[in-house]
Amino acid sequence: MLVLVIFKNVGDTRPYPDHNLAVKDWVKIEPHEVRLDQLITTKSTLDLHTLLAEDSTLFGDLFPHVVSWRGSLYLEDGLQRTLRAALQGRVAIHARILELPLPEAE
């Protein structure tokens, strides 16, 4: 039996600490390829108008934003672009990945 998985998990929160990065800070991070089935979403809903818009990447960063925290990859921004890639049959995307360090108390 073949099971198709788009994301590793669908979440609705950001379990990691606030990183305070602005969009101008994200664009300084070089994009890397990441498999869709390794991503955990931080939003469980999306706007279909945004997903299906012809110019959906006109404003903002062209690459999704991913936060690496405690061994997991969280899709913070770019759910529409990532889902569009999945619908096109792609299994990986290029994303900007922010590595968050563990707090010193841990």
Short mmCIF file of all heavy atoms in Angstrom, two decimals, residues 31-64:
data_model
loop_
_atom_site.label_atom_id
_atom_site.label_comp_id
_atom_site.label_asym_id
_atom_site.label_seq_id
_atom_site.Cartn_x
_atom_site.Cartn_y
_atom_site.Cartn_z
N PRO A 31 19.17 30.07 0.61
CA PRO A 31 18.21 28.97 0.49
C PRO A 31 18.90 27.62 0.31
O PRO A 31 19.96 27.52 -0.30
CB PRO A 31 17.41 29.32 -0.77
CG PRO A 31 17.70 30.75 -1.04
CD PRO A 31 19.06 31.03 -0.48
N HIS A 32 18.27 26.60 0.88
CA HIS A 32 18.74 25.22 0.75
C HIS A 32 17.55 24.34 0.41
O HIS A 32 16.42 24.63 0.78
CB HIS A 32 19.38 24.72 2.05
CG HIS A 32 20.64 25.44 2.39
ND1 HIS A 32 21.84 25.15 1.81
CD2 HIS A 32 20.87 26.47 3.25
CE1 HIS A 32 22.76 25.95 2.30
NE2 HIS A 32 22.20 26.77 3.17
N GLU A 33 17.82 23.23 -0.25
CA GLU A 33 16.76 22.31 -0.60
C GLU A 33 16.30 21.54 0.63
O GLU A 33 17.11 21.11 1.45
CB GLU A 33 17.23 21.34 -1.69
CG GLU A 33 16.11 20.49 -2.24
CD GLU A 33 16.55 19.67 -3.43
OE1 GLU A 33 17.36 18.75 -3.24
OE2 GLU A 33 16.08 19.96 -4.54
N VAL A 34 14.99 21.39 0.76
CA VAL A 34 14.42 20.62 1.87
C VAL A 34 13.26 19.80 1.33
O VAL A 34 12.50 20.27 0.48
CB VAL A 34 13.98 21.55 3.03
CG1 VAL A 34 12.90 22.52 2.60
CG2 VAL A 34 13.52 20.75 4.23
N ARG A 35 13.14 18.57 1.80
CA ARG A 35 12.04 17.70 1.38
C ARG A 35 10.76 18.13 2.08
O ARG A 35 10.77 18.47 3.27
CB ARG A 35 12.36 16.24 1.72
CG ARG A 35 13.47 15.65 0.85
CD ARG A 35 13.69 14.17 1.17
NE ARG A 35 12.45 13.40 1.12
CZ ARG A 35 11.97 12.83 0.00
NH1 ARG A 35 12.63 12.95 -1.13
NH2 ARG A 35 10.84 12.14 0.04
N LEU A 36 9.66 18.11 1.35
CA LEU A 36 8.37 18.51 1.91
C LEU A 36 7.95 17.60 3.05
O LEU A 36 7.36 18.05 4.03
CB LEU A 36 7.29 18.51 0.82
CG LEU A 36 7.52 19.44 -0.37
CD1 LEU A 36 6.38 19.32 -1.35
CD2 LEU A 36 7.71 20.87 0.08
N ASP A 37 8.28 16.30 2.95
CA ASP A 37 7.85 15.35 3.98
C ASP A 37 8.67 15.45 5.27
O ASP A 37 8.45 14.68 6.20
CB ASP A 37 7.85 13.92 3.45
CG ASP A 37 9.21 13.42 3.01
OD1 ASP A 37 10.22 14.15 3.15
OD2 ASP A 37 9.28 12.28 2.50
N GLN A 38 9.58 16.42 5.34
CA GLN A 38 10.32 16.68 6.58
C GLN A 38 9.83 17.94 7.27
O GLN A 38 10.32 18.28 8.35
CB GLN A 38 11.82 16.77 6.29
CG GLN A 38 12.39 15.46 5.81
CD GLN A 38 13.88 15.52 5.61
OE1 GLN A 38 14.49 16.58 5.58
NE2 GLN A 38 14.49 14.36 5.47
N LEU A 39 8.86 18.64 6.66
CA LEU A 39 8.37 19.90 7.21
C LEU A 39 7.14 19.70 8.09
O LEU A 39 6.27 18.89 7.79
CB LEU A 39 8.00 20.86 6.08
CG LEU A 39 9.14 21.33 5.19
CD1 LEU A 39 8.59 22.14 4.03
CD2 LEU A 39 10.13 22.16 6.00
N ILE A 40 7.08 20.48 9.16
CA ILE A 40 5.91 20.56 10.02
C ILE A 40 5.35 21.96 9.85
O ILE A 40 6.07 22.95 10.02
CB ILE A 40 6.28 20.32 11.50
CG1 ILE A 40 6.91 18.93 11.67
CG2 ILE A 40 5.05 20.49 12.40
CD1 ILE A 40 7.53 18.71 13.04
N THR A 41 4.08 22.07 9.50
CA THR A 41 3.50 23.39 9.29
C THR A 41 3.22 24.06 10.63
O THR A 41 3.03 23.39 11.66
CB THR A 41 2.18 23.32 8.49
OG1 THR A 41 1.18 22.71 9.28
CG2 THR A 41 2.37 22.56 7.19
N THR A 42 3.19 25.39 10.63
CA THR A 42 2.81 26.15 11.82
C THR A 42 1.44 26.78 11.62
O THR A 42 0.99 27.54 12.47
CB THR A 42 3.85 27.24 12.15
OG1 THR A 42 3.97 28.13 11.04
CG2 THR A 42 5.20 26.62 12.48
N LYS A 43 0.81 26.48 10.49
CA LYS A 43 -0.55 26.94 10.19
C LYS A 43 -1.31 25.74 9.62
O LYS A 43 -0.78 25.00 8.80
CB LYS A 43 -0.53 28.06 9.14
CG LYS A 43 0.20 29.30 9.56
CD LYS A 43 0.29 30.27 8.41
CE LYS A 43 1.23 31.41 8.76
NZ LYS A 43 1.58 32.21 7.61
N SER A 44 -2.54 25.59 10.05
CA SER A 44 -3.32 24.46 9.54
C SER A 44 -4.32 24.88 8.47
O SER A 44 -4.98 24.03 7.89
CB SER A 44 -4.06 23.76 10.69
OG SER A 44 -4.96 24.65 11.30
N THR A 45 -4.40 26.16 8.19
CA THR A 45 -5.33 26.64 7.16
C THR A 45 -4.59 27.59 6.22
O THR A 45 -3.57 28.17 6.57
CB THR A 45 -6.53 27.38 7.77
OG1 THR A 45 -6.06 28.51 8.51
CG2 THR A 45 -7.33 26.48 8.68
N LEU A 46 -5.14 27.74 5.02
CA LEU A 46 -4.58 28.70 4.08
C LEU A 46 -5.71 29.33 3.28
O LEU A 46 -6.82 28.82 3.24
CB LEU A 46 -3.55 28.05 3.15
CG LEU A 46 -3.99 26.88 2.29
CD1 LEU A 46 -4.57 27.35 0.98
CD2 LEU A 46 -2.79 26.00 2.03
N ASP A 47 -5.39 30.43 2.65
CA ASP A 47 -6.35 31.17 1.85
C ASP A 47 -6.22 30.71 0.40
O ASP A 47 -5.18 30.89 -0.23
CB ASP A 47 -6.06 32.66 1.97
CG ASP A 47 -7.00 33.52 1.16
OD1 ASP A 47 -7.91 33.00 0.49
OD2 ASP A 47 -6.81 34.76 1.18
N LEU A 48 -7.27 30.09 -0.14
CA LEU A 48 -7.21 29.58 -1.51
C LEU A 48 -7.00 30.69 -2.54
O LEU A 48 -6.38 30.47 -3.57
CB LEU A 48 -8.46 28.78 -1.84
CG LEU A 48 -8.53 27.39 -1.24
CD1 LEU A 48 -9.85 26.72 -1.58
CD2 LEU A 48 -7.37 26.54 -1.72
N HIS A 49 -7.50 31.90 -2.27
CA HIS A 49 -7.26 33.01 -3.19
C HIS A 49 -5.77 33.28 -3.31
O HIS A 49 -5.26 33.53 -4.40
CB HIS A 49 -7.99 34.27 -2.73
CG HIS A 49 -9.48 34.19 -2.84
ND1 HIS A 49 -10.12 34.17 -4.06
CD2 HIS A 49 -10.44 34.09 -1.91
CE1 HIS A 49 -11.42 34.07 -3.87
NE2 HIS A 49 -11.64 34.02 -2.56
N THR A 50 -5.07 33.23 -2.19
CA THR A 50 -3.62 33.44 -2.20
C THR A 50 -2.91 32.28 -2.90
O THR A 50 -2.00 32.48 -3.69
CB THR A 50 -3.10 33.58 -0.76
OG1 THR A 50 -3.80 34.65 -0.13
CG2 THR A 50 -1.60 33.89 -0.74
N LEU A 51 -3.34 31.06 -2.61
CA LEU A 51 -2.71 29.88 -3.20
C LEU A 51 -2.83 29.88 -4.72
O LEU A 51 -1.87 29.58 -5.43
CB LEU A 51 -3.35 28.61 -2.65
CG LEU A 51 -2.91 27.29 -3.29
CD1 LEU A 51 -1.45 27.01 -2.99
CD2 LEU A 51 -3.80 26.15 -2.84
N LEU A 52 -3.99 30.22 -5.24
CA LEU A 52 -4.25 30.10 -6.67
C LEU A 52 -3.97 31.37 -7.47
O LEU A 52 -4.10 31.36 -8.69
CB LEU A 52 -5.70 29.65 -6.88
CG LEU A 52 -6.05 28.31 -6.22
CD1 LEU A 52 -7.54 28.03 -6.34
CD2 LEU A 52 -5.24 27.19 -6.80
N ALA A 53 -3.58 32.44 -6.79
CA ALA A 53 -3.31 33.70 -7.49
C ALA A 53 -2.11 33.56 -8.41
O ALA A 53 -1.12 32.91 -8.08
CB ALA A 53 -3.05 34.81 -6.47
N GLU A 54 -2.22 34.14 -9.59
CA GLU A 54 -1.12 34.08 -10.57
C GLU A 54 0.14 34.75 -10.05
O GLU A 54 1.25 34.35 -10.36
CB GLU A 54 -1.54 34.76 -11.88
CG GLU A 54 -2.55 33.96 -12.67
CD GLU A 54 -1.97 32.67 -13.22
OE1 GLU A 54 -0.80 32.67 -13.63
OE2 GLU A 54 -2.70 31.66 -13.23
N ASP A 55 -0.02 35.81 -9.25
CA ASP A 55 1.13 36.58 -8.76
C ASP A 55 1.40 36.31 -7.28
O ASP A 55 1.84 37.19 -6.56
CB ASP A 55 0.92 38.07 -8.99
CG ASP A 55 -0.30 38.59 -8.24
OD1 ASP A 55 -1.08 37.78 -7.71
OD2 ASP A 55 -0.46 39.82 -8.17
N SER A 56 1.19 35.08 -6.83
CA SER A 56 1.29 34.78 -5.40
C SER A 56 2.68 35.02 -4.82
O SER A 56 2.82 35.16 -3.62
CB SER A 56 0.86 33.34 -5.12
OG SER A 56 1.75 32.45 -5.73
N THR A 57 3.71 35.09 -5.65
CA THR A 57 5.05 35.37 -5.14
C THR A 57 5.53 36.77 -5.53
O THR A 57 6.70 37.08 -5.38
CB THR A 57 6.07 34.33 -5.66
OG1 THR A 57 6.08 34.38 -7.08
CG2 THR A 57 5.73 32.95 -5.19
N LEU A 58 4.62 37.62 -5.96
CA LEU A 58 5.00 38.96 -6.39
C LEU A 58 5.54 39.79 -5.22
O LEU A 58 6.52 40.49 -5.34
CB LEU A 58 3.80 39.67 -7.02
CG LEU A 58 4.06 41.08 -7.57
CD1 LEU A 58 5.13 41.04 -8.64
CD2 LEU A 58 2.78 41.67 -8.10
N PHE A 59 4.89 39.67 -4.07
CA PHE A 59 5.32 40.42 -2.89
C PHE A 59 5.93 39.45 -1.89
O PHE A 59 5.54 38.31 -1.79
CB PHE A 59 4.13 41.15 -2.26
CG PHE A 59 3.51 42.15 -3.19
CD1 PHE A 59 2.30 41.85 -3.80
CD2 PHE A 59 4.12 43.34 -3.48
CE1 PHE A 59 1.72 42.75 -4.67
CE2 PHE A 59 3.56 44.24 -4.35
CZ PHE A 59 2.35 43.95 -4.95
N GLY A 60 6.91 39.92 -1.14
CA GLY A 60 7.53 39.08 -0.13
C GLY A 60 8.67 38.26 -0.69
O GLY A 60 9.10 38.42 -1.82
N ASP A 61 9.16 37.36 0.12
CA ASP A 61 10.29 36.52 -0.23
C ASP A 61 9.84 35.39 -1.16
O ASP A 61 8.78 34.81 -0.98
CB ASP A 61 10.88 35.94 1.05
CG ASP A 61 12.26 35.35 0.88
OD1 ASP A 61 12.70 35.17 -0.27
OD2 ASP A 61 12.89 35.06 1.90
N LEU A 62 10.64 35.07 -2.15
CA LEU A 62 10.31 33.97 -3.06
C LEU A 62 10.51 32.60 -2.42
O LEU A 62 9.99 31.61 -2.91
CB LEU A 62 11.18 34.06 -4.32
CG LEU A 62 10.93 35.25 -5.22
CD1 LEU A 62 11.93 35.25 -6.37
CD2 LEU A 62 9.51 35.25 -5.74
N PHE A 63 11.30 32.54 -1.34
CA PHE A 63 11.60 31.27 -0.69
C PHE A 63 10.84 31.15 0.64
O PHE A 63 10.80 32.10 1.42
CB PHE A 63 13.10 31.14 -0.42
CG PHE A 63 13.92 31.15 -1.68
CD1 PHE A 63 14.58 32.30 -2.08
CD2 PHE A 63 14.01 30.02 -2.47
CE1 PHE A 63 15.33 32.32 -3.24
CE2 PHE A 63 14.76 30.03 -3.64
CZ PHE A 63 15.43 31.18 -4.03
N PRO A 64 10.26 29.99 0.91
CA PRO A 64 9.61 29.78 2.21
C PRO A 64 10.62 29.91 3.35
O PRO A 64 11.81 29.72 3.17
CB PRO A 64 9.09 28.35 2.11
CG PRO A 64 8.94 28.10 0.65
CD PRO A 64 10.07 28.85 0.01
#
